[in-house]
């Protein structure tokens, strides 16, 4: 009897790639251009994982909607320019990420996907610059879904792949990722190297310390 299909969904920023330099740079540029006080680094990293409108509402709650919308557009422009300037260096893969992606991709019954608040353009550019085009069979982005922790991204990925909730896992670094996984009824696996402290990952089934722990962790969960 063949093994059931499994689905491993990855968050991107803070999980697969360390994009904090670009995020902080773009957020700083956007706030300065709008003549709004720039949030500190910790505040900026705390909203990674939220869609941009939600993030700006949290970072600039006293600003009118028009200013928050300008901050969103300013961020997009600054981030895009920074990515064009630095290429892959703007969002380097975390140690072990590529090796684990390749290892999991080689298992016939395991499908890989992405669930990120990046735009379609941003995700496609990131995947291309790192040469990861062949690995992800489902790519869920902010353009088509409510912000995390709404379960829409995970639910759509399950529907696209035909994998059941019990055979799926969401890998992420923020409480938004783990809460999304819980809301969708899939296992959440937190990572310790991202932008939220481990103490915030309360909805995670477990938290791994290094990427090479992921395959064995998944095997234990699915045994």
């Amino acid at each position: 009897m063949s093994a059931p299909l499994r689905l491993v969904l990855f968050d991107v920023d803070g999980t697969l790639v360390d994009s904090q330099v670009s995020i902080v740079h773009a957020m700083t540029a956007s706030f300065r251009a709008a003549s709004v006080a720039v949030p500190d680094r910790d505040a900026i990293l705390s909203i990674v994982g939220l869609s941009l409108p939600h993030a700006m509402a949290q970072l600039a709650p006293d600003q009118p909607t028009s200013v928050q919308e300008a901050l969103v557009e300013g961020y997009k422009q600054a981030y895009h320019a920074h990515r064009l300037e630095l290429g892959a260096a703007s969002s380097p893969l975390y140690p072990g990420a590529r090796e684990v992606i390749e290892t999991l991709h080689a298992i016939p019954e395991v499908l890989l996907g992405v669930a990120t608040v990046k735009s379609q353009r941003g995700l496609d550019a990131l995947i291309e610059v790192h040469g990861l085009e062949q690995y992800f069979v489902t790519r869920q982005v902010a353009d088509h879904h409510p912000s995390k922790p709404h379960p829409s991204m995970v639910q759509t990925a399950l529907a696209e792949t035909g994998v059941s909730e019990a055979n799926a896992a969401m890998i992420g670094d923020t409480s938004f990722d783990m809460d999304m996984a819980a809301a969708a009824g899939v296992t959440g696996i937190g990572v310790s190297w991202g932008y939220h402290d481990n103490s915030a990952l309360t909805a995670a089934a477990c938290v791994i310390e290094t990427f090479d722990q992921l395959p064995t962790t998944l095997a234990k969960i699915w045994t």
Side-chain angles (χ1 to χ4, degrees), residues 32-206:
R32 285 178 176 168
S35 299
V36 179
V38 179
D40 63 33
R41 184 183 190 87
D42 288 345
I44 292 172
L45 293 181
S46 75
I47 55 79
V48 176
L50 293 176
S51 65
L52 283 173
H54 286 75
M56 296 309 183
Q58 188 164 312
L59 291 175
D62 299 330
Q63 297 296 325
T65 300
S66 59
V67 173
Q68 292 179 4
E69 291 174 347
L71 289 170
V72 168
E73 291 308 310
Y75 176 90
K76 289 179 179 179
Q77 293 172 15
Y79 194 97
H80 181 62
H82 200 245
R83 187 181 73 232
L84 291 178
E85 178 184 355
L86 297 182
S90 68
S91 297
L93 288 165
Y94 280 105
R98 183 181 301 277
E99 292 79 3
V100 167
I101 288 170
E102 292 173 350
T103 296
L104 294 174
H105 182 258
I107 303 172
E109 67 270 20
V110 173
L111 304 176
L112 303 181
V114 169
T116 176
V117 295
K118 284 186 174 298
S119 66
Q120 189 75 63
R121 181 181 73 170
L123 177 62
D124 290 349
L126 181 78
I127 287 175
E128 181 180 359
V129 78
H130 286 296
L132 299 174
E133 295 94 337
Q134 73 268 38
Y135 295 110
F136 303 113
V137 300
T138 180
R139 303 179 187 181
Q140 306 305 320
V141 296
D143 302 28
H144 313 305
H145 298 281
S147 178
K148 298 176 183 180
H150 192 284
S152 176
M153 289 187 187
V154 177
Q155 291 169 337
T156 302
L158 293 173
E160 286 184 359
T161 57
V163 177
S164 68
E165 290 88 345
N167 290 324
M170 176 71 207
I171 320 302
D173 68 303
T174 71
S175 60
F176 312 125
D177 297 314
M178 297 301 99
D179 291 343
M180 177 177 67
V186 307
T187 300
I189 298 176
V191 303
S192 67
W193 54 81
Y195 306 147
H196 281 193
D197 189 84
N198 288 5
S199 61
L201 308 180
T202 55
C206 60

